[in-house]
Amino acid sequence: MAMETLSHNRSHEGVQGVYSHASQETGTEMTFSVFVPPQAAELAAGAKLPVLWYLSGLTCTHANVTEKGEYRAACAEHGIVFVAPDTSPRGDDVPDAEDEYDFGKGAGFYVDATEEPWAKNYRMRSYIERELPDLIAAEFPVDMQRQAITGHSMGGHGALTIGLRNADRFRSISAFSPIVAPTQVPWGEKALGRYLGDDRDAWRDYDAVALIEDGARHDHILVDQGTADNFLDEQLKTGLLAMACAKQGMEPTIRMQEGYDHSYYFISTFLAEHVAWHAERLRG
């Protein structure tokens, strides 16, 4: 699992790095960023730090949150490693949907595709759940017993579904503007139908509301959603998550943030709060 360093920058007394490696899952070169806080330089032999995964949204790469997320000061304060993967496979040989921002490159939806021509490369579920964690564990001082996950929009969908499917692995889950029920909205129906085929039962594993209806549980979920988000009513439908959780006796924290939209102005305002919230659950 050879890893290439693309850049290193000192920030908040820690190191913000960008890296690439050849992925066996996607069959492509994959790029990701990692912020290692200053506490890493003071670790005793064998000691490790908790890790927070951030999954990005449609059209994004690792770079969006790395450049605009404003998480490093909080991660440095709390001693948390922050990992930001890409959102899809990349490369000239990777199938794409030309002129479709919500499908193909930049829109992997964190699924393992089963339909052609997507099945060979679009294996973002396995990449995020297995391959990249193995690489991070081998190359960075992370405690894989203390993991948390967050994300935005399509990445919020990824954080919720990956977190719910792996509740024993992730101590806490948060999301910004997540697509909570992709089986019930245009973005999700398009992506899941084309990546996974017509069997809608196969889609349920990639839908947070459906997973909760089918028995998935987690005690630590935080969602922030802007009330001025122009995707809220048609694509995000935060209320469906609240209703599904209420029916199952779950008590997530869902905060409707007045006047905020879908952009990184919103995310950067509250991301440090999310880091601190995860930090409380990652101690010990």
Side-chain angles (χ1 to χ4, degrees), residues 1-235:
M1 292 191 295
M3 181 183 78
E4 180 182 356
T5 300
L6 302 181
S7 65
H8 267 177
N9 294 96
R10 190 162 180 80
S11 179
H12 294 279
E13 305 305 318
V15 176
Q16 177 64 67
V18 178
Y19 310 90
S20 67
H21 74 115
S23 167
Q24 296 299 310
E25 289 292 348
T26 68
T28 66
E29 196 78 7
M30 295 294 290
T31 302
F32 60 94
S33 74
V34 180
F35 176 70
V36 178
Q39 290 85 345
E42 303 169 0
L43 290 174
K48 297 180 179 181
L49 298 171
V51 57
L52 175 59
W53 299 84
Y54 179 95
L55 305 184
S56 292
L58 290 168
T59 75
C60 292
T61 70
H62 71 282
N64 297 74
V65 71
T66 305
E67 295 170 1
K68 297 185 288 187
E70 299 183 25
Y71 56 85
R72 278 174 285 269
C75 287
E77 177 183 352
H78 296 287
I80 292 176
V81 176
F82 190 98
V83 181
D86 202 348
T87 55
S88 77
R90 308 278 176 176
D92 293 340
D93 296 332
V94 174
D96 194 15
E98 192 171 345
D99 299 326
E100 297 182 57
Y101 78 94
D102 55 356
F103 190 79
K105 292 179 185 178
F109 266 83
Y110 304 101
V111 307
D112 280 353
T114 57
E115 299 296 297
E116 298 301 334
W118 319 104
K120 177 182 178 182
N121 303 116
Y122 285 79
R123 296 186 51 80
M124 292 303 294
R125 173 181 178 172
S126 291
Y127 179 71
I128 298 297
E129 288 187 352
R130 294 198 298 270
E131 185 177 20
L132 187 57
D134 287 347
L135 178 62
I136 295 297
E139 298 288 343
F140 297 92
V142 295
D143 182 353
M144 301 305 279
Q145 301 304 310
R146 292 188 289 162
Q147 297 188 65
I149 191 166
T150 187
H152 170 235
S153 193
M154 179 187 70
H157 140 75
L160 288 169
T161 55
I162 291 171
L164 286 166
R165 287 195 307 260
N166 300 275
D168 58 338
R169 181 189 305 183
F170 296 100
R171 293 194 184 182
S172 49
I173 306 166
S174 75
F176 296 87
S177 317
I179 307 169
V180 304
T183 63
Q184 302 183 52
V185 301
W187 276 342
E189 289 182 319
K190 176 179 181 177
L192 298 180
R194 291 169 72 175
Y195 286 136
L196 303 176
D198 295 333
D199 181 5
R200 295 181 72 96
D201 285 341
W203 300 6
R204 295 183 69 82
D205 215 24
Y206 298 104
D207 181 306
V209 167
L211 284 167
I212 291 167
E213 291 174 348
D214 293 344
R217 298 289 180 271
H218 205 291
D219 293 332
H220 302 284
I221 298 176
L222 168 64
V223 172
D224 272 327
Q225 172 63 59
T227 61
D229 190 323
N230 60 317
F231 299 115
L232 176 57
D233 293 337
E234 182 181 19
Q235 304 284 10

